[in-house]
Amino acid sequence: MDNGTAGGTPGTEADGVGKPWCDSAEIDPAGPYADGPWRNYFLILLDRIPTPIAVCRAHGEVLIANPAMAAQWGAAPGQLRGRNLLDLFEPRAKAQLDRLTEALRLGRRSRYPVEVRWRDGADGSEREGELTIDPVGDPSVQPPALLALLRVGESAPAPAPRASASPVEARILALAAGGATTASIGTALGLTVDGVNYHLTRLARRWRVQGRTALVARAYVLGVLSADSWPPAPA
């Protein structure tokens, strides 16, 4: 994993951090579950897991991210594809990143923690946590894909105010207010049905309401949706 952009030239070798050392052959983010129906099962499960997760190439380019990971930036999962993890997260200790880079260069496979910080997409506050990086896939395939799991630190700043909604959540609410189905909302925003339901469930818990009608009504009361526009639109 390097700290360059996701568009860096793959397949080059380098001795230190900052340049991709590995080949970036096509990697299916479903890994060993890439064949047949197992790939769909893997992606559905990934959407439903509340832990923020991303699968990326060895040089850090995100192949796929679940809604919980994308929510850290108020984005849809597809918007993280092609980004580099080190454009999203700032490592707190360079030595941890050096250790991971050297392990990948030597073909070692273990679990590597990297303490990180980032800006919350909802309110811009600084968050802290730990990325756990696991090389995954067939051991004969080099370089491996990386599975990144994020643990948000307990000492992180308080969540955004209860009245807030991320840009993606506001767009979901606007489409729902216009009568769109869950499936059509997902199609419009590049989300799966489970991804849309994930965001709606988070909003319902945050605002302490039940049902889509109550969510839409609450969004208007809180000023998340514009009261004088049709079709419905975020304020």
Side-chain angles (χ1 to χ4, degrees):
M1 189 166 71
D2 69 80
N3 58 3
T5 63
T9 304
T12 28
E13 293 188 358
D15 294 330
V17 177
K19 299 179 182 178
W21 60 268
C22 62
D23 184 340
S24 73
E26 287 302 316
I27 299 173
D28 191 305
Y33 305 104
D35 294 330
W38 292 107
R39 186 179 196 280
N40 290 334
Y41 297 154
F42 167 81
L43 297 177
I44 291 171
L45 177 62
L46 191 65
D47 269 357
R48 292 181 175 177
I49 294 176
T51 301
I53 297 174
V55 180
C56 62
R57 298 184 188 276
H59 62 278
E61 178 189 351
V62 175
L63 295 170
I64 190 170
N66 71 348
M69 179 66 86
Q72 301 301 317
W73 291 273
Q79 292 176 304
L80 297 190
R81 182 178 174 85
R83 300 284 301 277
N84 193 288
L85 279 185
L86 291 177
D87 292 335
L88 301 169
F89 295 103
E90 177 188 350
R92 293 180 59 86
K94 182 176 180 292
Q96 292 180 327
L97 194 61
D98 290 342
R99 179 169 172 262
L100 171 59
T101 301
E102 179 66 6
L104 293 175
R105 187 182 70 81
L106 297 175
R108 295 174 182 164
R109 296 204 174 198
S110 186
R111 181 169 294 176
Y112 301 93
V114 180
E115 295 178 2
V116 293
R117 70 183 87 187
W118 68 98
R119 290 285 176 183
D120 187 275
D123 62 5
S125 62
E126 184 173 274
R127 312 282 299 204
E128 295 184 352
E130 181 180 86
L131 273 177
T132 300
I133 309 294
D134 281 280
V136 294
D138 189 329
S140 66
V141 177
Q142 289 295 335
L146 301 180
L147 178 67
L149 286 80
L150 176 65
R151 179 180 61 81
V152 180
E154 294 179 0
S155 59
R162 298 181 64 82
S164 71
S166 71
V168 170
E169 290 169 340
R171 290 167 67 195
I172 289 174
L173 288 167
L175 290 168
T181 65
T182 303
S184 61
I185 292 173
T187 299
L189 301 183
L191 295 168
T192 63
V193 168
D194 286 325
V196 173
N197 286 331
Y198 169 83
H199 285 289
L200 291 174
T201 300
R202 288 183 78 220
L203 281 167
R205 289 174 179 169
R206 188 185 312 156
W207 294 347
R208 297 180 182 176
V209 298
Q210 293 184 352
R212 186 170 301 192
T213 300
L215 267 177
V216 169
R218 187 75 166 146
Y220 278 112
V221 170
L222 296 174
V224 172
L225 295 180
S226 175
D228 57 359
S229 62
W230 187 267

